[in-house]
């Protein structure tokens, strides 16, 4: 609920989103006030999530708002994210950003990543089948190589713009519109903006495990390979299975449905190969 989360939550609440969960373990500090638009002088020292909930309810009393005064960590991230339609990452450190992306991809929940520093910012929708945060950055940079907002500063207008952009992408996702894995960067000092389509990195440790190529296998091993891979995944995870031939195409989706899994999509890749998207249940 910082510089990104404040404007994003305000836009979503005013837009009529029915439920929001606010997650932040920080208290309001006087240094936050120039960019974190939900807070006032009288809020200093109080938990950000609770203050934000009160302010948002004044703006949109019909919105169901759950305030969690906790930090997103590896032990609780999956439980915090489960049951939500979209996750907005408004964190200010790479450790949390990588964690949010990893867990969101594992749970197959769309995530809208954003970050800002000085006069610049970036936004990336993280979706199954598209690029994730690790595809973009590959690995977390050493903590002493990247200055924090406190060290380098950030213009309040930059996080305001990026937070509003996050909210706009979230509304597109909630409406069921197609959202591409496009990296958007903005520089408010120069007035420049760029868009770059990103593809998943073949060796990405987050994306790669959620796909399996069984084109070299024959029945019944096609089903056995798929079943064993699904057993390693959490419920709600979507697995892309690439297979070859008519017999596997008939048998694998049918067997997966009999096991209680949901076959979301079957797409022809060429005359022989198909991709089956299956959600573990």
């Amino acid at each position: 609920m910082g510089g990104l989360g404040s404007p994003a939550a305000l836009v979503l609440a005013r837009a009529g989103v029915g439920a929001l969960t606010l997650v932040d373990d920080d208290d309001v500090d006087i240094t936050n006030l120039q960019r974190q638009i939900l807070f006032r002088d009288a809020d200093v020292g109080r938990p950000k999530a609770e203050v934000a909930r009160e302010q948002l309810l004044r703006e949109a009393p019909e919105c169901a708002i759950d305030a969690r005064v906790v930090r997103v960590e590896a032990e609780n991230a999956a439980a915090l994210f489960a049951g939500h339609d979209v996750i907005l990452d408004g964190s200010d450190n790479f450790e949390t950003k990588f964690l949010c992306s990893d867990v969101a991809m594992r749970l197959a929940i769309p995530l809208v990543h954003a970050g800002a520093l000085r006069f610049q910012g970036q936004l990336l929708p993280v979706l199954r089948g598209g690029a994730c945060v690790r595809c973009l950055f590959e690995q977390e940079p050493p903590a002493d190589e990247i200055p924090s907002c406190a060290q380098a500063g950030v213009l309040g207008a930059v996080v305001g713009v990026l937070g509003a952009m996050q909210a706009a992408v979230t509304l597109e996702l909630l409406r069921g519109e197609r959202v591409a894995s496009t990296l958007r960067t903005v520089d408010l000092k120069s007035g420049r903006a760029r868009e770059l389509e990103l593809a998943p990195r073949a060796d990405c440790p987050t994306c790669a495990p959620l796909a399996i190529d069984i084109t070299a296998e024959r029945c019944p091993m096609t089903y056995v390979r798929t079943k064993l891979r699904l057993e390693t995944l959490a419920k709600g995870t979507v697995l892309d299975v690439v297979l070859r031939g008519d017999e596997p195409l008939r048998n694998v989706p049918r067997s997966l449905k009999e096991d209680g899994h949901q076959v979301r999509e079957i797409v022809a890749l060429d005359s022989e190969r198909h991709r089956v998207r299956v959600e573990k249940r």
Side-chain angles (χ1 to χ4, degrees):
M1 291 312 303
L4 295 167
S6 292
L10 185 59
V11 171
L12 293 173
R14 285 178 170 175
V17 171
L20 296 171
T21 300
L22 317 177
V23 183
D24 200 311
D25 69 332
D26 260 350
D27 294 335
V28 179
D29 187 86
I30 195 168
T31 61
N32 303 149
L33 302 184
Q34 60 92 6
R35 65 188 182 281
Q36 299 180 17
I37 60 174
L38 291 179
F39 310 131
R40 304 291 183 266
D41 288 348
D43 301 322
V44 171
R46 296 187 59 207
K48 287 184 180 180
E50 293 181 357
V51 176
R53 179 180 183 274
E54 294 171 3
Q55 178 63 26
L56 292 171
L57 285 175
R58 284 192 284 268
E59 298 283 341
E62 73 284 356
C63 186
I65 302 177
D66 183 8
R68 307 286 187 93
V69 186
V70 296
R71 184 178 181 83
V72 177
E73 297 179 313
E75 294 76 17
N76 65 8
L80 288 171
F81 294 172
H84 291 80
D85 296 304
V86 186
I87 302 159
L88 277 75
D89 172 20
S91 62
D92 61 358
N93 64 88
F94 274 98
E95 180 182 2
T96 305
K97 290 187 180 300
F98 275 68
L99 173 63
C100 289
S101 177
D102 291 346
V103 176
M105 288 291 277
R106 179 163 60 83
L107 297 178
I109 301 174
L111 176 139
V112 186
H113 154 84
L117 197 65
R118 299 189 179 100
F119 299 96
Q120 300 176 332
Q122 63 185 21
L123 179 144
L124 176 68
V126 175
L127 313 165
R128 281 292 295 122
C132 72
V133 171
R134 289 190 188 274
C135 295
L136 177 62
F137 295 109
E138 297 194 13
Q139 59 183 359
E140 297 176 40
D144 57 353
E145 286 189 7
I146 304 296
S148 66
C149 289
Q151 294 169 323
V154 61
L155 184 67
V158 175
V159 287
V161 169
L162 267 294
M165 290 173 63
Q166 281 185 288
V169 172
T170 298
L171 291 172
E172 291 176 11
L173 290 165
L174 293 175
R175 289 194 297 264
E177 299 177 13
R178 182 184 179 277
V179 175
S181 292
T182 302
L183 175 66
R184 307 173 191 179
T185 61
V186 295
D187 186 327
L188 265 64
K189 189 174 184 179
S190 66
R192 295 175 182 171
R194 290 184 59 198
E195 289 192 358
L196 177 65
E197 193 83 15
L198 290 183
R201 194 159 50 89
D203 60 344
C204 174
T206 298
C207 300
L210 297 179
I212 180 173
D213 187 332
I214 54 173
T215 54
E217 302 288 352
R218 296 185 178 184
C219 287
M221 282 305 299
T222 50
Y223 166 66
V224 173
R225 284 278 308 281
T226 305
K227 178 179 174 66
L228 291 174
R229 186 67 186 91
L230 283 170
E231 288 178 354
T232 69
L233 303 177
K235 289 184 178 180
T237 304
V238 177
L239 178 69
D240 285 354
V241 183
V242 180
L243 47 78
R244 181 190 301 272
D246 292 337
E247 189 176 3
L249 182 60
R250 288 193 304 270
N251 295 336
V252 171
R254 184 189 65 209
S255 298
L256 294 174
K257 290 179 181 177
E258 291 174 353
D259 286 344
H261 304 299
Q262 180 182 356
V263 176
R264 286 189 169 189
E265 184 181 41
I266 300 177
V267 178
L269 301 178
D270 52 41
S271 60
E272 294 186 345
R273 297 182 307 139
H274 286 76
R275 184 184 71 190
V276 178
R277 301 195 69 199
V278 55
E279 179 180 341
K280 181 174 179 178
R281 292 293 182 91

